[in-house]
Amino acid sequence: MDGDDGLMLNFAASSSTKPQQQHKGKRSAPSQQPAASSSSSKRSKVESGSSAPIKKAPRPSNDGRQTHGPSSSASSSRAKPTTFISSLFSKVPQADTLQTDEDAEEERRARNKAKPTNAPGSDASTFSGLGLDPLLVAHLESKRMSIGSRPTGIQRAALPTLLQDDDSRDALVHAQTGSGKTLTYLLPIIQSLLPLCTETWIDRSVGTLAIILAPTRELARQIYEVAEKLCQLHLSLREQAEEDGDEASAARRTRWLVPGLLSGGSTKNHEKSRLRKGIPLLVATPGRLLDHLQNTSSFDVGKCRWLVLDEADRLLEMGFKETLEGILKAMDGRRRLACNTAMEAMQETMGSDARIAYEDVEDGTGVKWWAKPRKVVLCSATLDENVQTLAGTHLRRPQVLRGSGEMPDTAPATEQADPATSANGIDPGSSLYPRLAAPAQLRQNAVVVPPKLRLVTLIALLRSALSRNSSVVNADARRVIVFVSCTDSVEFLWHALGGVKMGEDDEAGGDDGDENSDNEEEKASKGKPKIAKECELFPSTPIYRLHGSLPQSDRIASLKGFSAGMGKKTKTPSSSSNDGAILLCTSVAARGLDLPSVGCVIQLDPPTEGGVDEYLHRIGRTARVGKEGESWIMFLPHEREARERLEGAMQQDDKAAAKSSSVISEVGADYILKRGFGGRGDEYESRATEVQLAFERWVLRTSTSSPTSAATLARKAFLSHIRAYATHPSNEKDLFHVRFLHLGHLAKSFALREAPEVIKSNARKEAAKGAAAAVAANRDRRVKPDKKERLEARAGKANGTAATDGKADGVDDDDEDADLPRTAIKADIPSRSSRGAKDNILEDVSRGSKNADAEARMYAKVRALGKQSKKGGMLGSYGADEFQIA
Ligand SMILES: Nc1ncnc2c1ncn2[C@@H]1O[C@H](COP(=O)(O)OP(=O)(O)OP(=O)(O)O)[C@@H](O)[C@H]1O
């Protein structure tokens, strides 16, 4: 395949008059002909904007490790003797990692034939045939919902059960990613509440009748938006009312079923006033819900009939579990209280001796709210032993509902646990939840990449995925999601892609690069922080970012921008673009997000926690409801075996279905580079080298120590990446151990030319400066700022670039509070005696991790108390207890 497909590389258009110098590596000279002077240079011209020819790369010395500072004389005095350029291709990936283009395409074609496993069924079943109310059926078919009439596998399997008025059993909905689980639980909830619309007394003050919990703010908002759309259904079918001769009753229906959202990031007072009015259908994140249960007296959940835990396995992970138990306890308490109050009111009229059974208690409206127990539904594509434990202790005779099309030969659509095994039918010893493989039509790939090629391989992959005539994705599905392990890596990549200039002359133009251009862009957008960047390497493609340290408004705006429909105008710089888009994110985007037109998911860093389950959720952002999609995961050479492990884990429980949908094809890095950078023969090598050098120039160009300078971002990202790497669980340490990392080569993938030791000491100096600045800022804050200053400070706070400052590490452990590490970080560090430069860095990483750990415990304590006590903007940590809150 010719790599110059659709997307043109910004290799200097005019370079035919200015031949490029070759870049030599330690052992091999990469290419015969520089890219720009090749015959393809015409095709390689810039699609948007201009690009000057790339300055010649300095020739390395014979040993391939050339001392290399900024080239301009003005900045040469600042050059570090420890910086160097090593050739990207001095150690080309070994032949045995490579797959021929033909092999790869062959495999791809074969996978293309796989029948989708999460699509609406092609049989005769319809929503109305499953027992759905005609009002809802009509609404699903309407333009507003655009769902149609055909249910997916899980909807066929679960709706008949959930729509029944059987409250004696709870349910576990277990189905592949993108198979329509949200509607599977929302439709029965709404249908069960619809009859109340005809009551004369009904209004919002009835309180909260259904609660849906989601682990992240983004997912909670998404569910809320679906619920909001569903609740806009017509409350009467005029024809139906006329037919029934019951126009009057149709007219009497009340629109009281209003959804509401409680999630971190919005003001609690505002939420309180909405709760006072009443939110019948509530979507929430766990921390915020518990907070209101403990502190908002007007929050009426005493009559709640439904509790749904979406992404239940994630909700039960460390950090959430206690919150969840607190929620269940608080809800039970409020239910009892409401029932007792109603009972006392009844006794007042019937006489205090009257004995009233729990089921017979009515409230003032005459409804026996407490006759039926609350129905609990747990839901996920991956149900694990935590879910099993919760099901075993808190759920009543739970039924496992599974999509029939997803496991054709192995499981019936509805499973019932053997009641003999335990009190509620769940046997804690056996796995009831075989792991579901990925949707069969999702083409999974892995690429083994030497550390120093990581950055350019990512660029090549993105170029392929975004190219119009790529085989990777549909022309209308050119949105790409890139997962990395930490917030600092997201920040680095986002700024680097936005700042990199191909064909620039100046190797070290001073300290004014990205920072100033950022500021200018911000000025142009009237002080509003930018949410999207554009990169010369992917013309007309806005690049967004999402991680837990971003201000909530930016998180929402980024997702909106990324999701904006094809051709729809957005307020981003690329509003006119009908092209693809890139979302750089941490695992915060792995769960549940239903983003349109995502054709490709790239995991630059394999998940550090959650293993195969996290992998499945991440790749599940593509190939949704029967659509095609492709995923890529990058492994370092020493991690290579992880591919087979992932495959094995996906297949172990789900042999029949897994054969087709658990294969991860291994592709060599040079195949990707060739496809992404194009050119003849080895030309892709020199093109990749030019791209790498452009990133390195970007870092050199902005070598100030301000928090937004490129060098600072790159160093922070490098160190945070190592920290995140150290959090791989112990059962993965044989493949993912920090000791196996070649730190010098890894630094290259963060566009750093500094030696790891220098990166560390520079980062330390920057951190010290940052701390001093923070102290000074705190001191200034004691003097009450005038209004203008306050506004400026608020604008500054909204700037996402500063969002990661002060975080103990860059690991994004997003939950509803966005920034709390869920697991203790356990870097294995060698003893002092055998310490080298690398060990020093690893020890530093460990120390940072311990701080993060302490911080996590402090936040956990704060959360457990349900309150946050802040002093001067900082959480308090004083008193007798380790983190006693005043
Ligand atoms: N029967 C249907 N026909 C067509 N589209 C549907 C149907 N049911 C749901 N959808 C659409 O499928 C998409 C994915 O649904 P949803 O987000 O509920 O999937 P999910 O199973 O919860 O995925 P995940 O496990 O990733 O959270 C949504 O855009 C939804 O509108």
Side-chain angles (χ1 to χ4, degrees), residues 118-121 127 145-152 154-155 175-185 219 222 226 310-311 379-381 590-594 617 620-621 624-625 627:
N118 57 1
F127 281 114
M145 291 298 295
S146 305
I147 293 293
S149 58
R150 290 185 303 137
T152 60
I154 185 61
Q155 291 162 353
Q176 283 179 348
T177 51
S179 59
K181 291 187 284 297
T182 314
L183 286 181
T184 306
Y185 61 74
L219 182 54
Q222 181 182 293
V226 178
D310 202 348
E311 306 296 344
C379 194
S380 182
R591 293 275 183 154
L593 292 190
D594 183 47
H617 283 284
R621 296 318 97 209
R624 297 175 73 74
V625 265
K627 296 208 181 83

Side-chain angles (χ1 to χ4, degrees), residues 719-774:
L719 294 171
S720 293
H721 174 88
I722 301 171
R723 243 173 245 147
Y725 199 88
T727 66
H728 276 279
S730 52
N731 63 347
E732 291 176 5
K733 286 262 198 267
D734 59 329
L735 296 182
F736 296 91
H737 197 296
V738 279
R739 297 302 305 264
F740 304 149
L741 292 176
H742 188 308
L743 297 184
H745 286 184
L746 186 68
K748 212 162 173 60
S749 70
F750 291 89
L752 288 162
R753 289 180 183 176
E754 295 162 345
E757 263 297 290
V758 179
I759 298 173
K760 190 188 83 176
S761 75
N762 281 340
R764 196 180 279 163
K765 277 181 217 153
E766 283 155 11
K769 269 191 200 167

